[in-house]
Amino acid sequence: MKSWSESKPLAANAEAPAPDIWVRLRALRSPEGRIIDFECVDSSPGRVRQGVLGLLPRAGQRLLDESPWAGECSLFDTCVRVAERQVPEMERFSRTTPAGITWVQARLAPGEGGLTLFLEDFTQRTTSEGALRRDRDLLQAVIESTTDAVFVKDLMGRYVLLNTAASRAFGRPVEEILGRTDSELMGPQAAAPTVAHDRTVFESGQTATYEDSDGGPGFGAIWQSIKGVLRQPDGTVYGLFGISRDITQRRRQEEDREQEGRFRERFIGVLGHDLGNPLAAIRFSSAALLARETLTPEVRRMLQRIDNSAERMARLVRQLLDFTRARMAGGIPLRPSDVALDEVCRRVIGELELAHKDREVHLEVRGECHGFWDEERMAQVLSNLVANALQNSPAGTPVSVRLEGVESLQRVEVHNAGAPIPEPLRPHLFEPFHPSGSSATRLARGGLGLGLYIVAQIVQAHGGRVEVSSTVETGTSFVILLPRSVPVSAGTVEEAQARMEPDCARQGNAASS
């Protein structure tokens, strides 16, 4: 049974490829002169006949008698047509056999009184061509379905393939783009960056990624483009492929978020600065009133509550100002001088023990503790870390502070017992507005979640680093390693007279995180 066939004239002088088998057929006619069958006159010698090719007649045998399938698949009709018209033809057909579908190509050359039939089994080639055609169709479907612009250029930069997305980027149909270069499509000046990218990829032979407004096809978009070379099996470069994604909207969203973040940080800085003077007035007034000896106990308690609240607000304002400096002014400014860190630490511990009268803070000093640092900032670091340890450890347990000189470095360790820092919080400990303990603890003490962030910023400004370890067995330790002096490139060093702060910001060193 014939499943498909294709017939077309075969040039008389065409040189046919060597077939698997051939037979020379003589036309047998009816009394009326109509061809009713063909008789085999001769056939290719020494051939092993298998499959369809083995069903052809031998010398002296008739075609329709020995090979009735020739009538079923129109091969017989083609033989008749060639014998009568004396015009060569070629036909392809398939036949189902016990081994499966066999594809055969027949070439028919007219001869005196009949024709010569050449048969070639090309089942394997047809299967391979079908697989390639399916792969090509699948690849084409994928390329056309993607929203990315996909294109291929030859060595001259001419487009030889592109999908619909690339065509839309140019604003032209595919037919107007194929065979033309970027310079022809966009103009030499506009195409210069794209041509430069292509040249770099061709010269290096390496796949590269570009992200700009000039690296992809067309106009008016920001592209993320991947470009690479196409090679022959022998390694010869014959073209360039590109896959470009339009990231214009993503870039604009990122810019909007960055602008919003800058506005938010600027607002926080302005708010913190403007709150300084009113808080200074409140604290100054409360201090003046508390100095009076005629106050009743009830009024004194109320004034003390006002003063404590104003002092806590002043700490929050200082943190907001430090946050703004760190994010917008190139880093926290420093005023380094010769500092005895053990003395600073004793002062900070004394202040915190007054606020936590039921807790103990142990200080251990080993080796050299002198360095060229900002004394006030180092007091702020120690205050934040020790206060953080007191607030996040069980009542009745001590907090230990260890100062140790390690060659050219100063090591500072603040340790507390108790539950470890929750695992989800650890990657964000030194980020702004993240708590160092539980949410309940943070809310209870009214912190902003800036304490550890400011610690990290001050330490980095001094050219040092801060590390943390926290386990159930050993508790929690924050370790700071500082160089003996501030590197020139580490922080922003300012003159003493350039640093003017509200009076309330200078009252005490204790700061909660």
Side-chain angles (χ1 to χ4, degrees):
M1 179 183 296
K2 174 184 175 184
S3 60
W4 108 200
S5 67
E6 176 187 358
S7 298
K8 60 182 180 180
L10 179 68
N13 59 351
E15 185 176 348
D20 288 337
I21 190 172
W22 59 265
V23 291
R24 186 172 295 114
L25 302 174
R26 180 173 62 86
L28 301 177
R29 298 179 180 272
S30 66
E32 293 81 12
R34 183 171 56 87
I35 297 177
I36 56 175
D37 204 345
F38 291 91
E39 180 183 5
C40 178
V41 178
D42 194 7
S43 63
S44 53
R47 297 280 181 160
V48 178
R49 300 186 174 189
Q50 297 177 347
V52 174
L53 303 183
L55 300 179
L56 290 174
R58 297 178 182 274
Q61 296 178 337
R62 292 190 174 189
L63 178 63
L64 292 181
D65 290 342
E66 297 299 323
S67 307
W69 56 270
E72 298 172 359
C73 69
S74 78
L75 177 60
F76 176 77
D77 294 336
T78 305
C79 291
V80 171
R81 189 165 56 249
V82 170
E84 289 182 340
R85 298 179 180 177
Q86 291 294 292
V87 177
E89 289 190 21
M90 180 181 70
E91 180 177 5
R92 295 179 181 179
F93 57 89
S94 64
R95 178 172 176 80
T96 302
T97 67
I101 297 179
T102 300
W103 288 87
V104 178
Q105 179 171 275
R107 296 173 183 271
L108 302 91
E112 185 178 353
L115 71 146
T116 302
L117 173 62
F118 302 88
L119 292 182
E120 178 184 359
D121 186 342
F122 71 117
T123 303
Q124 183 175 0
R125 189 175 73 183
T126 301
T127 303
S128 299
E129 290 175 352
L132 289 174
R133 188 161 50 250
R134 287 192 299 272
D135 291 345
R136 182 195 62 195
D137 293 343
L138 177 62
L139 179 60
Q140 186 66 26
V142 171
I143 291 175
E144 284 299 321
S145 299
T146 183
T147 56
D148 294 343
V150 180
F151 53 88
V152 175
K153 304 176 186 178
D154 62 15
L155 295 177
M156 302 300 295
R158 296 183 292 251
Y159 285 91
V160 296
L161 180 148
L162 71 161
N163 65 349
T164 303
S167 172
R168 284 198 299 267
F170 280 107
R172 302 186 183 190
V174 174
E175 296 75 17
E176 293 185 11
I177 301 172
L178 292 176
R180 304 176 70 180
T181 66
D182 288 294
S183 297
E184 294 170 341
L185 293 167
M186 299 187 293
Q189 184 174 358
T194 302
V195 174
H197 290 171
D198 294 352
R199 185 182 302 111
T200 301
V201 172
F202 272 126
E203 292 174 353
S204 66
Q206 302 295 320
T207 300
T209 301
Y210 301 95
E211 188 168 315
D212 52 40
S213 58
D214 304 314
F219 306 90
I222 300 174
W223 299 98
Q224 183 182 68
S225 299
I226 300 175
K227 294 183 179 181
V229 296
L230 298 171
R231 298 180 184 273
Q232 299 283 6
D234 61 359
T236 303
V237 175
Y238 68 90
L240 175 143
F241 75 88
I243 304 173
S244 296
R245 174 166 296 179
D246 187 346
I247 60 170
T248 307
Q249 184 176 1
R250 190 186 78 187
R251 275 286 190 87
R252 289 173 179 169
Q253 290 174 346
E254 291 174 353
E255 292 174 357
D256 290 343
R257 285 195 295 269
E258 291 176 1
Q259 184 175 0
E260 180 183 351
R262 288 192 298 269
F263 175 80
R264 182 171 57 248
E265 292 168 6
R266 189 177 296 112
F267 172 78
I268 291 174
V270 171
L271 177 64
H273 181 271
D274 290 348
L275 286 175
N277 289 332
L279 282 173
I282 293 173
R283 295 207 65 194
F284 178 79
S285 300
S286 63
L289 291 173
L290 285 170
R292 296 181 180 180
E293 297 179 356
T294 58
L295 297 176
T296 63
E298 180 65 23
V299 172
R300 186 172 295 277
R301 281 195 301 271
M302 293 176 62
L303 286 173
Q304 190 63 55
R305 189 178 301 120
I306 293 172
D307 186 65
N308 292 339
S309 298
E311 193 276 334
R312 187 170 70 252
M313 291 177 65
R315 290 199 303 267
L316 297 178
V317 168
R318 288 199 301 272
Q319 289 185 348
L320 288 174
L321 291 173
D322 287 339
F323 169 76
T324 304
R325 289 182 180 128
R327 297 294 287 261
M328 299 185 64
I332 292 179
L334 303 178
R335 288 187 299 168
S337 61
D338 187 42
V339 176
L341 197 59
D342 54 338
E343 295 179 4
V344 175
C345 193
R346 289 188 180 93
R347 185 174 72 250
V348 169
I349 291 174
E351 293 173 356
L352 289 171
E353 284 181 333
L354 289 176
H356 301 80
K357 296 181 180 180
D358 58 337
R359 302 296 297 277
E360 293 183 359
V361 181
H362 299 160
L363 174 62
E364 180 181 350
V365 180
R366 294 182 182 179
E368 181 63 45
C369 290
H370 282 264
F372 195 70
W373 306 303
D374 186 318
E375 180 175 349
E376 183 178 345
R377 292 299 185 185
M378 292 308 303
Q380 189 176 359
V381 167
L382 291 167
S383 177
N384 279 355
L385 290 180
V386 175
N388 184 74
L390 290 168
Q391 292 159 352
N392 290 286
S393 58
T397 61
V399 171
S400 62
V401 181
R402 299 184 183 91
L403 304 181
E404 182 180 1
V406 183
E407 297 179 354
S408 61
L409 295 176
Q410 177 68 54
R411 186 178 187 274
V412 181
E413 179 181 357
V414 178
H415 174 270
N416 66 273
I421 299 171
E423 191 67 35
L425 293 181
R426 296 186 187 184
H428 309 289
L429 273 180
F430 300 103
E431 295 179 7
F433 306 110
H434 278 276
S436 57
S438 67
S439 298
T441 303
R442 177 188 173 189
L443 292 173
R445 65 174 186 262
L448 292 173
L450 287 173
L452 293 181
Y453 170 76
I454 292 172
V455 165
Q457 294 299 311
I458 293 174
V459 171
Q460 290 174 13
H462 281 82
R465 68 178 187 272
V466 57
E467 302 170 350
V468 61
S469 63
S470 186
T471 64
V472 176
E473 297 78 15
T474 63
T476 300
S477 292
F478 285 85
V479 176
I480 296 173
L481 293 175
L482 291 173
R484 290 290 170 192
S485 61
V486 180
V488 175
S489 60
T492 302
V493 179
E494 63 175 18
E495 297 296 333
Q497 61 268 25
R499 185 180 169 101
M500 302 296 294
E501 294 185 356
D503 292 340
C504 69
R506 299 181 181 180
Q507 301 292 330
N509 289 313
S512 66
S513 62

